[in-house]
Amino acid sequence: MTGPRQTQRLSADEAGIAAAAELLRAGRLVALPTETVYGLAADASDDRAVASIYAAKERPSFNPLISHLPDAEAARRQGLFDAPALALAKAFWPGPLTLVVPASSSCTVCSLARAGLDSVALRVPSHPVARAVLQAAGRPIAAPSANRSGRVSPTQADHVLADLDGRIDAVLDAGPTAVGVESSIVACLGGAPRLLRPGGVPRAALEAAIGQALVIVEEGGAAPVSPGLLASHYAPRAAVRLDAEAPRPGEAWLGFGQEPNGALPALAFNLSPAGDLTEAAANLFAAMRRLDDQRPATIAVAPIPMHGLGEAINDRLRRAAAPR
Ligand code: TXA
Ligand code: MG
């Protein structure tokens, strides 16, 4: 998935838009222009396509991603909007605003794109080329900024290629982006709306639309955000035992690659029998949830190698295993 491939530069005309949408529908990676920055886009309903975003970016951890929709009606089908969320959507969509809301029962954004959370981040961009691709793709499209991890966000197709040439299928070149900083992110999860990331819509404008002050959550600030407050870390109810050679009696089993000798419990799942880390990443959150739903006391997890996406998988597993 991360091997060299030919990256096409598509022009932002009818043919280029159709080609980009077709690639996305086929589970491929396309860098798309939005009014904020270029996004590294993939089908948000496809765990495997989303896993390849993290692989291409070499992201060390699975942050939840923003899913992009062509219009507010399509976004409304993915999430549950309270009064502030509705007011913000009405005022700023399409535009550089992302809303984090509880996922609806009909939400098609996969669990990897949501990092296993019950919430979903939704955005309706205003860039006409982005909207045309989203319309043609006909499904939510996950898109973090189209740069390698740790580099600055790209505002031109050339920036994208400097970081990702040979790692993605195409970049749709619509010239420089207008806003240049990422969207503002507001969480509307009940209670007072919280500003998770300042961005393209000024805070005062957001607050005017909802008639109240936003709670400011400082990402990466001195005090770590309480996971309970932000609900940004998925933790299973079960205890998690890492680097297990084999399951002990009573434990559920999360395997990787070749299974250990001896009988496996009924409650067992292999993230990738072939030992493919991209496949394992695609399965990770859904598998943890499936096991945890059966209420085991402990989930034992096979060792996962640290190369490629293994680093991100191990990061999430360590968080899941942390005492709480
Ligand atoms: O302008 C933008 O928003 C760009 C363009 C391409 O649209 N996209 C972008 O996406 O910046 P991304 O995926 O890099 O933003 C991810 C951030 C996470 O770091 C996290 O802060 C927040 O969105 N986020 C996503 N889902 C969340 C959730 N369920 N709960 C809390 N925060 C969430
Ligand atoms: Mg970024």
Side-chain angles (χ1 to χ4, degrees):
M1 296 303 288
T2 52
R5 49 180 136 184
Q6 198 72 31
T7 302
Q8 306 175 58
R9 188 193 287 256
L10 300 170
S11 48
D13 53 20
E14 216 172 300
I17 288 166
E22 205 44 58
L23 284 166
L24 291 170
R25 293 174 66 91
R28 313 309 296 250
L29 295 178
V30 181
L32 289 184
T34 80
E35 71 277 22
T36 58
V37 299
Y38 276 75
L40 177 50
D43 181 348
S45 62
D46 176 349
D47 283 289
R48 199 170 173 104
V50 171
S52 64
I53 291 180
Y54 296 102
K57 280 181 71 92
E58 298 183 327
R59 249 198 190 179
S61 66
F62 298 133
N63 300 327
L65 302 177
I66 297 170
S67 291
H68 299 67
L69 287 310
D71 51 50
E73 293 71 55
R76 290 279 302 277
R77 287 194 286 275
Q78 300 292 332
L80 302 174
F81 287 60
D82 61 9
L86 287 173
L88 290 168
K90 186 157 186 286
F92 300 108
W93 277 352
L97 170 69
T98 294
L99 293 172
V100 173
V101 296
S104 71
S105 58
S106 58
C107 182
T108 55
V109 176
C110 69
S111 60
L112 183 59
R114 285 155 48 191
L117 301 171
D118 294 325
S119 54
V120 63
L122 302 171
R123 166 156 130 75
V124 178
S126 63
H127 197 295
V129 173
R131 297 187 76 191
V133 174
L134 294 170
Q135 195 70 57
R139 59 197 67 188
I141 296 296
S145 53
N147 51 281
R148 285 223 212 169
S149 186
R151 313 244 192 122
V152 296
S153 297
T155 55
Q156 299 177 24
D158 284 341
H159 300 166
V160 175
L161 290 171
D163 271 18
L164 298 173
D165 195 14
R167 304 176 69 87
I168 62 176
D169 295 286
V171 55
L172 186 54
D173 186 352
T177 62
V179 177
V181 296
E182 282 96 342
S183 59
S184 306
I185 305 180
V186 179
C188 298
L189 295 169
R194 296 191 302 268
L195 183 64
L196 302 187
R197 179 176 78 184
V201 181
R203 175 153 65 97
L206 296 167
E207 291 178 336
I210 53 173
Q212 61 178 304
L214 287 165
V215 176
I216 310 297
V217 179
E218 280 198 52
E219 232 184 355
V225 175
S226 146
L229 179 73
L230 185 56
S232 71
H233 294 298
Y234 171 65
R237 284 169 291 235
V240 176
R241 186 167 70 85
L242 300 178
D243 295 318
E245 292 305 329
R248 294 175 185 151
E251 287 182 336
W253 176 246
L254 189 61
F256 175 82
Q258 202 188 330
E259 295 291 16
N261 294 326
L264 290 180
L267 195 53
F269 184 89
N270 193 306
L271 290 171
S272 172
D276 174 348
L277 288 162
T278 302
E279 181 183 27
N283 285 329
L284 178 65
F285 290 107
M288 296 265 281
R289 199 167 276 251
R290 205 177 314 157
L291 295 180
D292 199 39
D293 281 347
Q294 302 301 314
R295 300 286 209 273
T298 303
I299 300 171
V301 186
I304 313 284
M306 273 301 275
H307 60 86
L309 286 185
E311 194 180 345
I313 294 170
N314 280 301
D315 169 80
R316 296 309 297 195
L317 285 170
R318 272 197 304 276
R319 289 170 197 272
R324 53 183 180 271

